[in-house]
Every structure is written in C-alpha cells, then in structure tokens.
Amino acid sequence: MNRQKTRNRWALCLLFVLFTIMARASSQYTIAVQPGEFTIEQALQQARLKRLQGNDDRALIELQPGTYRLSQPIVLRPEDSHITIVAPKGQVVVSGGVQITGWRKKGRLWVADVPLWNGRPLEFRQLWVNGRKAIRARDIPVEAATPGGDPFAQMSRIRSIDKASETIYVPRSAVAKLSHLSSCAAPLEMVLHEMWCVANLRIKNIRIEGDSAAITFHNPESHIHFMHPWPSPMVTPGGEHNSAFFLTGAQQLLDEPGEWHLDVPARKLYYMPLPGENMATADVEAPALQTLLSVEGTPDQPVRGVTLQGITFSYATWLRPSLQGHAPLQAGMYMIEAYKIRPQISRPNGDHKLDNQGWVGRPAAAVSLICAEDVNFDGCTFAHTASTALDYHLYIKGGAVSRCTFSDIGGTAILAGSFGPEGHEAHLPYDPSDRRETCTGLNISDNRIDNAANEDWGCIGIAAGFVRGIRIEHNEISNVSYTGISLGWGWNQQTCAMADNMVRGNYIHHYARHMYDTAAIYTLGSQPHTFIEENVADSIYSPVYVHDPQHWFYLYTDEGSSYITVRNNWTPAEKFLRNANGPGCTWENNGPQVADSIKSRAGIRKR
C-alpha cells in the first residue's frame, strides 16, 4: 500500500513538472504595434526589457495593418532571439520610401520639391507612382516599337573602344538628344550591355568627332572597367553584334509620359504623367533607405530562432551607381579591383589558365542577415526593391524562406552565402578556417519570384555562393533578366566550403530577359554530393541585342563544377553546356523525355 502511495506521489510530481514545462514552453508575451503610435523598434526594446526583468517568455509582436515608414533600418540583435513578428498577410508594409507631394504643373511636366531626409537632400535612382515603377529619363522609348516587343531593342550600339584612353566611341546620333555635349557630370550615365553583366558608367565628357562621339567616364569605375577583361564590351566584325547601350539621367532625355528626372542640387523632381494619372492624388514613393531590416548577431552570439511572418518589405534604394558607378564581375558582385594577366598563368589540377584577377564587393540588400541561426521568413512579400531583396550572408545556420513572394526586384531576389570577402581573389577556392562563417542548412522553398534583376540585369532569381547543405526546392521563378538559379562561386575545381547542396523541383521560365551566357540553372566550383534534380526549365527570352544569340542553355555547369549530379530535369530540348568541368559531374536523363509526373510536380506545392 505504501509503495502504491509512493508511486502515485511520484506520478503526480511528474505530471506537475510536465505541465510546468509545457506551460513555460507555450507561454508567450504579446506586444501589439499600431502604425504611428508605437514603432517596431519600441516593441523590440519592450521585449528586451521584459527579459532583463527576468521574464524568459517568448515575445510575439503583432503588427497591426498599415504602413510603417522607417527613418533607419530595423535591427534584430542577439537580445531579440526567439521573437516572432507577425502581420496579417498583405496588410502591413515596412517601407523605406518617402512620399513626394505638392506637385505643380509646368508645361508638359509636373514638378515637386524633394524634401530633406534625415537632414540631407534626398537622392534616389528609382521612383514608383501608384505602385508602378516609373522610368528614369533615358534615350530609348518607354514603349516597344511593336506590341509585345522589347523597348530595349531600340538601343544604340557602340562603335569601338580605346582601353588606353578609357574611351568608348558611339554614333553621333546616339547623343543627339543631349544639348550640352561637354563636361557632362553625374547623374548622366551609360548603361552598357556586356555579355552577362551591365555596367553603369557615369559620363564625364562627350566629344564629337565627325559622325562619332567619344565618351569618357568618371573614376573609380572608368579605371576598373577598362582594366578588366571579363566581362567586356563587345566589338565584332561589321559591328552588328557590338555591345548595346542606353543613356539615362539627364533632364534633356525626359520626353515621354512615364519618365522622371531628379535635379539633385536644386532638389526638384520632374515627371511626365501617363494618361489618366492625377498628380494631386497619386502616391509617389521615392526610396530613401537601402536596408529596411538588418539581422545582426556575432559569431559567438548569433540571433537565434526568429520568425517573421506575413510582412511586406517595400521601397529600398540602391545608390552605388550614382556614387561610384557599377562594374560587376558576375551575379551583381561589383569589382573593387580587376586586371588582365599577360601571359596567362598555368594553374594546378586541370583548371584553365588564369588570364585575370579580380576582387569583388557585395551589393546592398533590403533585408540583410549576418550571424543568424534559424531565422525564418514565412509568407512575406518583398516588392519594389532596387537591389537585393533578401540576403543571408555570413555565419548563417539553418533558417527558411518559405511561401514568400518577390516582385519588382532590382537585383537578386534571394542571395545566400559568401562570395568571398573583399580581400579574397575571386578565382581562388574559399574555405574559411572558422567553418561557422559558411552559410549552412538554409532552406529556400515554395517561393514565387517574378520580375527580378530589372535594375541590374546581371543579377539572379536565387543566387548562392560558398554554401553548404542548402536546399532550393519547389520555387517558381519567372521574368528574370539573367539566370534563374546560380549555385556556387570560384572558377576552379579545388575543394572549398561548398558541399551537400540540393536544387530540386523548381519551375523556371521566361528567364534571360536581357542577358545571355545564361541558363535556368547554373553552377560553378567543386560541390561534392550536390544534386540538381527534377527541375523544369522552359520559355527563354530572345533579346536581339545580345552579342551571341545562340549562347544560352537550360542547364549549365561552368568552370570547375565538380561532383555534381544533374538528373531527371525536364527541358524542351537538350541544350546544355558543360564548360571546363572538373571530376565527378554526372548527367542522367535530362531533356524532353523526362516523365510528365516530374514536370507536374515542379514549382510551388499546394498546401
């Protein structure tokens, strides 16, 4: 009898302990945030204070419907670990935009004063009118010459280049719209098509020479651009496939409805409305912040266990081209220094001879994560960003991006992993001694990406650099200017940080809108035990201004790609490229013969 009583007491104690643990695990401290009354920053501070007072409950921050306008980025720190921030989907906007009001009619144009922002004149390169991205004044038409066509098909082509004098020669007719042809200062710039990238070159001077015009550019981009060999402006026999370009940024080019121009010194914004637009009631948004949300831990104390759900992140700017120009190497990574090597240098282990060196920087992101563990974005929307939308950068472990929507993205929609620190030469394998630095275990699934890389055409739908154990599955990617998914970095086959990656079940269509030397799925470097499988690639664009119209592919394993299995991917034809691959790459059953069941399963899964 005593034994039975003892058992009962122990059972009651155990139940009490279990109920206590469950109660604590489910306990949640809720903070409601209303736009204009209580900021997200204040909510985070309140949750931190609660913890300092000894309350270890998880915090739930509920954002009420409305627009949360930021004057500085929201920062999530290690003290914000295990917080959930939720919003009713589609009803909460975290915005880096500034509304432009007070429009006055001036001839065919409307003009507004640009406000000071945080005590300085507001400068921007993008503008949205009633949610539509307006066009920065340029020398090509707003609309295509034919219905359904591409207005960029009307770009001019360069005539020749002189690298020694850092000069590009163009037809004189190409600068006809500019009334002042010398001492041109920013923001006038040339956007130059270069195989797999576009360069933004701020114009310093235009000099007429007969039926040509000689254009020179500001530094630092001029020096970098003319020293590096890849990518490079193309000059071909007969000139038919010379690199195309357009000019943008000068008020003289503002001549069509839908275009705008910012006079930075005068703080005046000029806009020519589209038919039916009422500037008295229009919502005109100028982006002021490059980063809206920054998740910032440390290697030893990362931000852990955070979920953001249902939030829309909108109106983020990208200012680098206006300040320093933009000369990218690939995937939007801009060159800090680069030059040609002559004669070429042999490399070990079967790699191509080295003909150039380059060091790259990373573009700005609307949402940026460094030192984060299990940080998730669920059902969020990223829209109207001028550069990268979402960037999982360094010291990333776990986390998921799922059921999110990315639309009207100027650069890459989702960027993951290091592409090497700025001091690391781009052609060398990268394997940091602190393995925590490598992005590992990230899951990117069931996201919709549409209209990405519309500002920097050389960017990607989803781009992953030196990553390990990441899964890119069942996403739908369309209307991207270059490649759908790019996996890997480093033009060599040496062992590095990359391994165990999976790209499966994605549906990629209507890609390569502006660039070639491309594929729906593209890889670089050695990635043992990596699989590209059961994806569907279809409907590539055919831009007429690319220098080599046949140099495009559905699947493309590029230099140094090693130990990658490519299997059971459906494509309309077997148009693939295996360029300078290393050992261990396996291709099995790819092309139009792949089972319909695989084709039907690709893309976003229904839930």
Side-chain angles (χ1 to χ4, degrees):
M1 188 70 177
N2 288 335
R3 288 181 179 176
Q4 184 62 40
K5 286 182 179 179
T6 301
R7 288 195 196 99
N8 289 342
R9 276 198 294 268
W10 275 108
L12 287 171
C13 288
L14 181 60
L15 283 172
F16 176 77
V17 170
L18 288 173
F19 279 128
T20 301
I21 292 172
M22 291 173 64
R24 285 180 178 174
S26 61
S27 179
Q28 194 164 250
Y29 178 68
T30 301
I31 304 170
V33 184
Q34 190 77 32
E37 296 180 7
F38 195 56
T39 67
I40 299 172
E41 180 185 54
Q42 288 172 319
L44 291 169
Q45 291 170 356
Q46 183 172 321
R48 293 171 193 162
L49 180 60
K50 193 79 172 176
R51 286 181 177 172
L52 287 173
Q53 293 169 340
N55 188 330
D56 292 328
D57 294 347
R58 291 172 178 264
L60 173 66
I61 297 177
E62 294 182 339
L63 304 182
Q64 304 305 305
T67 298
Y68 295 76
R69 294 190 180 274
L70 305 179
S71 60
Q72 62 186 35
I74 300 165
V75 181
L76 294 178
R77 308 184 190 281
E79 290 77 10
D80 302 313
S81 293
H82 308 298
I83 280 179
T84 299
I85 305 176
V86 301
K89 188 172 177 62
Q91 298 183 49
V92 167
V93 177
V94 173
S95 173
V98 172
Q99 284 185 308
I100 306 296
T101 59
W103 290 91
R104 309 174 298 278
K105 198 170 189 315
K106 186 177 181 181
R108 295 180 64 197
L109 304 178
W110 287 70
V111 62
D113 297 322
V114 177
L116 291 173
W117 189 78
N118 285 354
R120 293 182 57 84
L122 180 62
E123 184 171 357
F124 47 90
R125 297 173 53 83
Q126 303 79 30
L127 189 74
W128 285 270
V129 180
N130 295 327
R132 174 192 56 81
K133 190 174 187 178
I135 294 173
R136 192 167 175 239
R138 66 192 189 197
D139 66 340
I140 57 173
V142 170
E143 300 292 339
T146 58
D150 182 356
F152 294 100
Q154 301 173 70
M155 287 190 289
S156 299
R157 293 185 183 270
I158 67 172
R159 285 188 165 170
S160 63
I161 58 174
D162 182 345
K163 289 198 172 187
S165 65
E166 300 182 3
T167 301
I168 293 178
Y169 292 87
V170 305
R172 179 172 179 167
S173 59
V175 298
K177 289 185 177 181
L178 299 171
S179 58
H180 302 291
L181 299 178
S182 63
S183 300
C184 294
L188 177 61
E189 66 188 58
M190 172 186 282
V191 181
L192 180 62
H193 192 284
E194 298 181 315
M195 296 186 282
W196 59 83
C197 291
V198 288
N200 297 77
L201 306 174
R202 296 169 301 152
I203 293 175
K204 180 179 180 180
N205 182 268
I206 300 176
R207 184 179 69 254
I208 299 300
E209 295 185 1
D211 63 353
S212 295
I215 303 180
T216 56
F217 308 93
H218 289 285
N219 281 318
E221 69 268 30
S222 180
H223 183 62
I224 294 170
H225 182 264
F226 287 97
M227 283 191 72
H228 76 87
W230 305 110
S232 183
M234 298 300 299
V235 177
T236 59
E240 182 182 358
H241 295 297
N242 288 3
S243 286
F245 71 94
F246 66 91
L247 304 177
T248 184
Q251 186 165 348
Q252 296 95 322
L253 303 177
L254 204 174
D255 57 4
E256 285 195 68
E259 289 187 322
W260 63 273
H261 171 73
L262 173 64
D263 185 335
V264 176
R267 291 175 45 209
K268 301 290 184 185
L269 175 61
Y270 299 89
Y271 178 65
M272 188 179 293
L274 292 169
E277 283 183 333
N278 182 351
M279 300 312 295
T281 59
D283 175 25
V284 181
E285 301 279 351
L289 282 175
Q290 292 196 127
T291 300
L292 310 180
L293 170 67
S294 182
V295 179
E296 300 178 9
T298 70
D300 296 321
Q301 193 178 11
V303 180
R304 291 188 172 98
V306 171
T307 296
L308 297 102
Q309 189 175 68
I311 304 168
T312 296
F313 298 93
S314 284
Y315 302 119
T317 192
W318 178 50
L319 290 175
R320 178 178 175 81
S322 292
L323 304 176
Q324 296 172 283
H326 182 58
L329 176 62
Q330 190 166 306
M333 303 298 149
Y334 57 84
M335 288 180 282
I336 300 167
E337 182 182 359
Y339 49 83
K340 183 186 295 186
I341 295 175
R342 289 294 183 270
Q344 299 178 4
I345 297 175
S346 295
R347 293 192 287 172
N349 303 312
D351 286 328
H352 272 181
K353 288 185 176 181
L354 190 65
D355 69 352
N356 74 99
Q357 286 194 297
W359 292 261
V360 300
R362 193 180 188 95
V367 177
S368 173
L369 293 86
I370 294 179
C371 303
E373 183 176 321
D374 297 325
V375 174
N376 311 301
F377 291 84
D378 180 22
C380 292
T381 297
F382 299 80
H384 314 317
T385 73
S387 186
T388 304
L390 175 59
D391 185 357
Y392 280 79
H393 190 185
L394 294 172
Y395 293 93
I396 301 296
K397 182 179 179 181
V401 184
S402 59
R403 301 185 305 117
C404 293
T405 299
F406 297 79
S407 63
D408 186 14
I409 306 300
T412 294
I414 304 173
L415 192 59
S418 171
F419 285 71
E422 291 189 359
H424 181 81
E425 204 280 316
H427 299 87
L428 295 174
Y430 186 62
D431 194 5
S433 57
D434 186 349
R435 279 297 184 92
R436 296 175 302 169
E437 182 180 316
T438 303
C439 176
T440 61
L442 176 65
N443 290 313
I444 301 170
S445 63
D446 298 290
N447 300 289
R448 179 76 176 94
I449 297 171
D450 183 69
N451 188 18
N454 63 28
E455 190 86 14
D456 183 356
W457 293 351
C459 288
I460 315 292
I462 300 173
F466 293 104
V467 294
R468 196 176 191 93
I470 79 164
R471 304 178 73 89
I472 303 172
E473 298 183 296
H474 289 282
N475 302 282
E476 182 177 353
I477 302 171
S478 62
N479 294 306
V480 291
S481 296
Y482 182 40
T483 292
I485 297 173
S486 178
L487 179 66
W489 195 248
W491 287 256
N492 66 81
Q493 55 185 279
Q494 313 313 312
T495 301
C496 65
M498 301 183 293
D500 305 320
N501 299 311
M502 172 71 75
V503 177
R504 180 171 61 190
N506 300 282
Y507 176 33
I508 303 164
H509 58 100
H510 296 92
Y511 64 100
R513 193 171 195 169
H514 298 301
M515 314 302 296
Y516 264 25
D517 190 26
T518 184
I521 301 174
Y522 171 93
T523 68
L524 275 173
S526 177
Q527 306 183 47
H529 203 254
T530 288
F531 293 87
I532 313 292
E533 63 182 23
E534 300 183 8
N535 302 283
V536 169
D538 200 2
S539 302
I540 188 169
Y541 280 100
S542 299
V544 298
Y545 36 84
V546 298
H547 80 282
D548 186 352
Q550 298 306 312
H551 199 65
W552 62 268
F553 308 95
Y554 294 115
L555 304 171
Y556 186 169
T557 50
D558 203 2
E559 288 193 44
S561 292
S562 306
Y563 306 108
I564 300 171
T565 297
V566 184
R567 66 188 182 192
N568 299 328
N569 298 284
W570 187 92
T571 61
E574 294 184 11
K575 191 165 180 20
F576 311 137
L577 182 61
R578 284 161 270 191
N579 178 46
N581 287 181
C585 281
T586 302
W587 290 66
E588 300 174 354
N589 190 37
N590 301 288
Q593 76 281 359
V594 170
D596 287 344
S597 59
I598 288 178
K599 187 177 180 181
S600 64
R601 288 198 300 267
I604 297 171
R605 294 166 289 195
K606 294 181 180 179
R607 297 189 181 184

